[in-house]
Amino acid sequence: MLKQTLLPLFLAAVLAAGAAQAQSAMPVSHPVADPAPRDPALKPVFDQFGGKAGLVALMDDFMANLMADPRTRPFFEPVDREHVKAELVDQFCVILDGPCTYTGKNMERIHRGLDIHRSQFNALVEDLQKAMDKHGIPFRAQNKLLATLAPMHREVVTK
Ligand code: HEM
């Protein structure tokens, strides 16, 4: 008899404790992705981009395209574009296994609050492709970089 009344109580206590634990163990936010994942396999691609000097030149045209594009201009008009270009050079340089260090913010943090839509993300990628074409970067090399950048939409696109 005692056993019969205590068992449900015991089970209820265990379930309650389990639920409380599950709640406290619940992640409050998803893990932050590395904004500049170095990939040693991309070293030949770094050379195809013309090394760091090539990336600096590329970023000038990329930013010029972003400013000429009505879909992206409003985002870049009010910010320190020289700073963004320098961070992008370091970010791409690290991804392509170049001799650089990325000290900028992570992708979620820097783009938080900008309300970026998927179509605006795609517009930026198009503007980057245009700049890479102008610099004669081989299509396959372009795609290798883009494949690393593409998953970042998860942290950049919030709308
Ligand atoms: C894969 C896509 C993207 C990458 C890799 C990227 C990368 C970066 C980097 C490295 C910075 C500078 C970080 C720092 O200052 O610490 C930055 C800043 C910025 N990005 Fe992006 N970005 C991407 C997509 C976009 C898109 C789609 C937009 C808008 C259309 C955008 C708008 C901006 C703006 C406005 C800033 C400056 C923010 C500020 O200074 O407060 N980005 N981005």
Side-chain angles (χ1 to χ4, degrees):
M1 177 63 196
L2 185 66
K3 246 188 186 168
Q4 266 167 0
T5 47
L6 279 183
L7 186 64
L9 272 177
F10 175 69
L11 281 178
V14 168
L15 284 175
Q21 201 182 27
Q23 215 165 33
S24 68
M26 208 116 81
V28 280
S29 63
H30 55 88
V32 176
D34 184 348
R38 183 179 289 280
D39 185 350
L42 295 182
K43 189 59 192 265
V45 179
F46 178 69
D47 297 332
Q48 287 178 299
F49 271 78
K52 188 163 180 183
L55 287 174
V56 170
L58 173 71
M59 240 43 94
D60 283 338
D61 279 307
F62 179 30
M63 189 53 80
N65 291 347
L66 289 169
M67 288 299 286
D69 186 338
R71 301 168 297 176
T72 50
R73 183 186 175 96
F75 291 94
F76 292 95
E77 192 139 48
V79 303
D80 180 346
R81 292 184 291 281
E82 287 306 312
H83 173 77
V84 175
K85 278 197 289 181
E87 296 291 5
L88 283 168
V89 166
D90 283 339
Q91 183 187 34
F92 289 11
C93 179
V94 173
I95 290 171
L96 301 179
D97 200 30
C100 308
T101 310
Y102 177 70
T103 54
K105 299 193 176 93
N106 71 56
M107 292 300 94
E108 192 275 331
R109 175 134 185 246
I110 194 73
H111 300 98
R112 189 189 293 163
L114 289 176
D115 280 344
I116 297 171
H117 189 269
R118 181 81 216 200
S119 62
Q120 290 154 335
F121 183 92
N122 292 342
L124 175 135
V125 172
E126 257 178 53
D127 293 333
L128 175 58
Q129 282 171 319
K130 247 195 261 173
M132 292 191 292
D133 281 344
K134 185 175 166 189
H135 285 256
I137 295 161
F139 189 63
R140 281 172 63 100
Q142 294 189 18
N143 280 347
K144 293 233 168 95
L145 175 67
L146 292 175
T148 309
L149 300 181
M152 294 182 187
H153 79 264
R154 289 189 207 106
E155 296 186 276
V156 171
V157 174
T158 51
K159 218 165 87 169

